[in-house]
Amino acid sequence: MQNTSRQTKNYTLVQTDTRLELHQPNSGPIYIDFLAGRLAYRRKHSNGKHQALARAVGIKGRYRPQIIDATAGLGRDAFMLACLGCPIVLIERHPIIAALLADGLQRLYADHEASQGINMQLLNGDASEQLINATKQTPTDVIYLDPMFPSRQKSALVKKEMQLLHTLAGSEPSDVTELLTLSRQLAQKRVVVKRPKSADYLAKAKPTTSIKTASYRFDLYIN
């Protein structure tokens, strides 16, 4: 079976025998794999109920909120929450990133053992429009927003992936104020915004409270 590819600007989407990859000049391929590497480790050792992300979305005891990740990106945080038992809808506006996500999810669900208990659904399109449609169908406890920012992690892979996201989708949605306002209207319980630890509040809107880690924080807007 031969690889198939599609060129977009300086990037090429390549369908190999096993997965969809995004190739760029002078660099290795980027793809999403929930079955290997760090994501697989997190899935197998998903006992972090007291981690900052879990606390931020309100996981407590047996309670698992229904979540929408409106800025899904490469899906890492969404996958961590799904591994903890939260049903989650991912919204990704950029079609190339959404295609990589869809491929990663398809391969995840093809492995019935690995995907046991995982409930992730992907939507591609404008975040505001998809938020309105999704919350009409299913009341949503938590809306999660992670406007992209430069990663402080030192690994070459992380830097390459973050550079890709910034190149394709921009550093932050231009309608971020509208998106936060809409999210606060639609979330049944809270909106969670991931920010660099020293960054301004998103859209300069002061949160109800914040949960801080060494390099970033979660701002909570509680209804």
Side-chain angles (χ1 to χ4, degrees), residues 74-212:
L74 298 179
R76 290 201 176 100
D77 285 349
F79 184 63
M80 289 179 63
L81 292 169
C83 288
L84 292 172
C86 298
I88 185 163
V89 174
L90 292 77
I91 299 175
E92 175 49 50
R93 61 189 174 125
H94 198 284
I96 292 178
I97 300 173
L100 294 173
L101 272 173
D103 177 71
L105 287 172
Q106 182 180 23
R107 286 182 285 108
L108 170 66
Y109 282 117
D111 187 324
H112 300 297
E113 181 180 356
S115 61
Q116 186 174 5
I118 300 293
N119 186 349
M120 300 172 73
Q121 176 188 356
L122 174 64
L123 302 175
N124 175 217
D126 177 77
S128 296
E129 293 179 6
Q130 296 291 356
L131 268 177
I132 293 172
N133 293 334
T135 52
K136 282 181 180 179
Q137 297 180 28
T138 304
T140 300
D141 300 314
V142 178
I143 296 177
Y144 183 76
L145 303 175
D146 179 11
M148 291 175 291
F149 55 86
S151 173
R152 295 189 179 185
Q153 298 185 50
K154 295 181 180 181
S155 93
L157 177 61
V158 170
K159 288 183 178 180
K160 181 177 68 172
E161 291 173 344
M162 289 303 299
Q163 183 181 18
L164 166 70
L165 291 176
H166 281 277
T167 301
L168 290 178
S171 59
E172 199 166 86
S174 59
D175 58 348
V176 66
T177 300
E178 175 190 343
L179 185 58
L180 177 59
T181 300
L182 180 63
S183 297
R184 295 179 69 178
Q185 294 170 354
L186 296 176
Q188 298 287 307
K189 294 188 176 181
R190 66 179 68 182
V191 176
V192 178
V193 180
K194 186 177 183 180
R195 299 292 284 164
K197 187 176 180 180
S198 59
D200 292 337
Y201 299 132
L202 189 65
K204 300 189 182 302
K206 186 176 180 180
T208 307
T209 188
S210 297
I211 297 175
K212 297 181 180 180

Side-chain angles (χ1 to χ4, degrees), residues 3-108:
N3 294 354
T4 59
S5 64
R6 184 177 68 181
Q7 185 77 32
T8 173
K9 293 185 178 179
N10 294 325
Y11 299 93
T12 304
L13 271 176
V14 178
Q15 180 63 61
T16 72
D17 290 342
T18 57
R19 65 193 178 210
L20 184 67
E21 299 180 349
L22 186 62
H23 292 206
Q24 52 187 328
N26 304 317
S27 182
I30 289 177
Y31 53 89
I32 295 176
D33 193 346
F34 296 112
L35 298 171
R38 289 176 300 163
L39 293 180
Y41 179 86
R42 290 175 181 178
R43 172 176 56 81
K44 294 177 181 178
H45 301 83
S46 182
N47 57 357
K49 296 180 182 178
H50 302 293
Q51 293 177 357
L53 178 60
R55 290 188 289 121
V57 300
I59 290 176
K60 189 175 182 181
R62 296 185 178 181
Y63 170 68
R64 297 295 182 271
Q66 175 79 39
I67 302 173
I68 293 179
D69 183 345
T71 52
L74 298 179
R76 290 201 176 100
D77 285 349
F79 184 63
M80 289 179 63
L81 292 169
C83 288
L84 292 172
C86 298
I88 185 163
V89 174
L90 292 77
I91 299 175
E92 175 49 50
R93 61 189 174 125
H94 198 284
I96 292 178
I97 300 173
L100 294 173
L101 272 173
D103 177 71
L105 287 172
Q106 182 180 23
R107 286 182 285 108
L108 170 66

